[in-house]
Amino acid sequence: MSRTRPNSEREGVPSRPATERRAVILNVLAGVEGFVTAPRLHMMISARGMAISLSTIYRTLTAAESEGLVEVLHRGGIWGRVYRYVPPVHDHHLVCTACGDSVPFTCRALEDWFAGIGPRYGFRDVRHAISVAGTCAQCVPTEDA
């Protein structure tokens, strides 16, 4: 009776513990300016000589999103979903849906509102990240075109 081994072992690539793979994925994502697709993140990780499957990257990003560590935008079209690391300290961004560029912003009224919303509903340790989507000035078609 033969025992099936994981693909990484069959291909001679040592298997990494899930926590190490997760750390690599999140560290590379944290180094990206703005948003990135999972396939692009996979290429960046592979370029560093690390063998982590695209499906592992998707699973890790999904889990990290549910933990509030990753923000996901659904852009549609060929780009699909794009991901951005959300540092433990919250932030706010205007995000271009065409090119993915982002600009940080602050808003005292939002901060005040978020400070009260958690306790109002019995929540503690509330974090937030806000992305406002639109089209940046460089991507807006000119009327001359």
Side-chain angles (χ1 to χ4, degrees), residues 101-118:
D101 191 21
S102 64
V103 178
F105 71 90
T106 58
C107 178
R108 187 73 248 157
L110 280 174
E111 294 304 319
D112 293 343
W113 186 79
F114 279 115
I117 194 72

Side-chain angles (χ1 to χ4, degrees), residues 3 18 28 30 36-37 61 74-75 84 124 130 139:
R3 197 172 98 196
V28 172
V36 66
T37 64
L61 292 171
H74 306 273
R75 292 175 30 170
R84 179 174 67 93
R124 296 186 339 188
I130 296 174
C139 293

